Amino acid sequence: SSSVASGSLSDSGASCDKNREREFVAARTRLEWHVRRRLARQLPGAEELLLRRLVNDLGTIAEEDALEGRADVNRCLERRGDKLAWWLSESEEVAEAVLAGAMGAREALWSAEEYNMASTQNWRAVQHLHQVLRRGGGGGGDADDDGGDLAAQQHRYGEAMRQVAERRWHRAGIRWCREQYLRFLLEGGATRLEAKRARARHFRLHGCRMDADMARPLQAQVASGIGGVGSGRRLRLLDIGSSGCLFDDFPEVEVTALDLCPTHPKTYRSDFLELEVGPSGSPPLVVGSGPVDAAAVEAEGGGGGGRPPGCGA
């Protein structure tokens, strides 16, 4: 009877192992389908054969990860698939190369690692220079408090900011800012807000609502002062911390861009915390020998995107 019981336990264990194997294979199949769908969304027009090859490559990489003890193979496949899909959405260049068959999953993931390392280095360069400035360094000396080459650190900062400005999420943020000021200043938002405030003041003073005949001239007056679409008036924008003069391409604004380490010829080198603001209408004051060194701007934003008087060519 003991041998029968032992045989029953052995059969039960083998049955459990087979069930676990079937569940693992089913989970792997569902996961591969999910990863393939995610990649297809980031690679419009990709052939099924290319998508399957990418998933197979990811599976091989996931097995290598699992052997290194990072996680079970399905979890590694999910992580790798998510990372590749994110990178394809972030880098148009990589997505085009993968779609053309010039880059595989492994090469694309390597480029994603390089991107992440560059991002970390950029963040460290920016943070370090900010720390130096907070400690009072950078006041014209050649070295910071740690003995580092300040000029080299400023160069790394400028290069880091240039690379950050090229990121898709950063460009999307600039576009969002533009949409907001267009909507508010040129498409009637400010006019409606001022009219609303005027109606509230009228109600507080007179205890009754402002009628339409009184509101219309007020709105026209506000609109004429702000301008609007088709008015031909350009907005004057003071852009602080804009190493690359990021709003310069937009025709509706005259930009005065300031940064500690400019990488664009129209950006003035200036520490905003030490900037002097003069009366409205006064010309920008430019000091130093460089063509982009600025010490002061007028109250409404300076001389637009051009060079201030007295700047060299």
Side-chain angles (χ1 to χ4, degrees):
S1 61
S2 62
S3 62
V4 173
S6 177
S8 299
L9 290 174
S10 178
D11 291 343
S12 176
S15 177
C16 288
D17 289 341
K18 289 181 180 179
N19 288 336
R20 280 195 294 268
E21 183 178 354
R22 281 195 296 269
E23 291 174 359
F24 176 84
V25 171
R28 175 67 174 265
T29 301
R30 291 193 300 270
L31 181 56
E32 289 178 348
W33 177 84
H34 170 73
V35 171
R36 195 162 59 248
R37 280 192 64 190
R38 286 208 63 189
L39 297 179
R41 285 197 294 269
Q42 306 305 332
L43 296 170
E47 297 181 357
E48 184 66 20
L49 181 61
L50 172 62
L51 296 172
R52 289 186 179 277
R53 185 165 66 246
L54 290 172
V55 173
N56 289 338
D57 290 346
L58 289 172
T60 301
I61 297 170
E63 290 170 2
E64 295 170 0
D65 291 343
L67 289 176
E68 295 176 3
R70 298 184 183 182
D72 68 82
V73 65
N74 281 356
R75 180 58 179 153
C76 290
L77 175 58
E78 182 181 16
R79 290 174 178 172
R80 291 290 191 172
D82 288 345
K83 187 167 189 176
L84 180 58
W86 162 79
W87 185 225
L88 293 174
S89 71
E90 180 70 22
S91 174
E92 296 177 1
E93 181 181 355
V94 171
E96 291 174 359
V98 171
L99 196 55
M103 182 181 289
R106 192 181 295 273
E107 293 79 11
L109 289 172
W110 281 342
S111 69
E113 290 295 335
E114 292 174 350
Y115 171 92
N116 287 335
M117 286 189 292
S119 297
T120 300
Q121 292 171 355
N122 290 340
W123 180 83
R124 288 174 178 170
V126 173
Q127 291 295 310
H128 181 70
L129 186 60
H130 286 173
Q131 290 171 2
V132 170
L133 295 173
R134 282 196 293 270
R135 291 199 303 264
D142 295 328
D144 65 14
D145 293 344
D146 299 326
D149 185 346
L150 184 60
Q153 292 171 7
Q154 291 175 335
H155 175 75
R156 285 196 297 270
Y157 168 89
E159 181 63 19
M161 295 306 295
R162 184 190 64 78
Q163 293 181 21
V164 168
E166 296 173 355
R167 303 302 195 212
R168 178 179 294 190
W169 58 266
H170 195 275
R171 296 197 303 270
I174 296 297
R175 289 195 299 271
W176 181 87
C177 291
R178 185 194 187 200
E179 291 170 0
Q180 301 312 307
Y181 72 63
L182 283 176
R183 183 176 297 119
F184 185 73
L185 295 173
L186 298 182
E187 297 175 2
T191 303
R192 290 189 294 271
L193 177 62
E194 187 57 34
K196 180 179 179 180
R197 289 173 174 170
R199 289 195 297 269
R201 288 194 298 268
H202 180 86
F203 185 84
R204 287 196 302 268
L205 291 173
H206 304 288
C208 61
R209 297 178 60 182
M210 180 184 294
D211 58 41
D213 292 337
M214 296 177 63
R216 273 192 294 269
L218 172 64
Q219 289 179 326
Q221 179 183 0
V222 174
S224 65
I226 295 175
V229 176
S231 67
R233 179 181 179 185
R234 298 179 69 192
L235 301 172
R236 308 179 73 181
L237 174 66
L238 178 60
D239 190 9
I240 301 164
S242 182
S243 180
C245 199
L246 302 175
F247 289 88
D248 187 56
D249 292 334
F250 302 142
E252 69 279 350
V253 290
E254 296 179 10
V255 184
T256 299
L258 308 177
D259 197 77
L260 293 168
C261 304
T263 57
H264 191 283
K266 290 184 180 179
T267 299
Y268 301 137
R269 183 180 295 109
S270 175
D271 182 349
F272 178 72
L273 297 179
E274 298 180 359
L275 191 69
E276 300 175 9
V277 180
S280 178
S282 60
L285 173 64
V286 181
V287 297
S289 58
V292 292
D293 291 341
V297 295
E298 62 164 298
E300 293 186 358
R307 298 184 186 280
C311 272

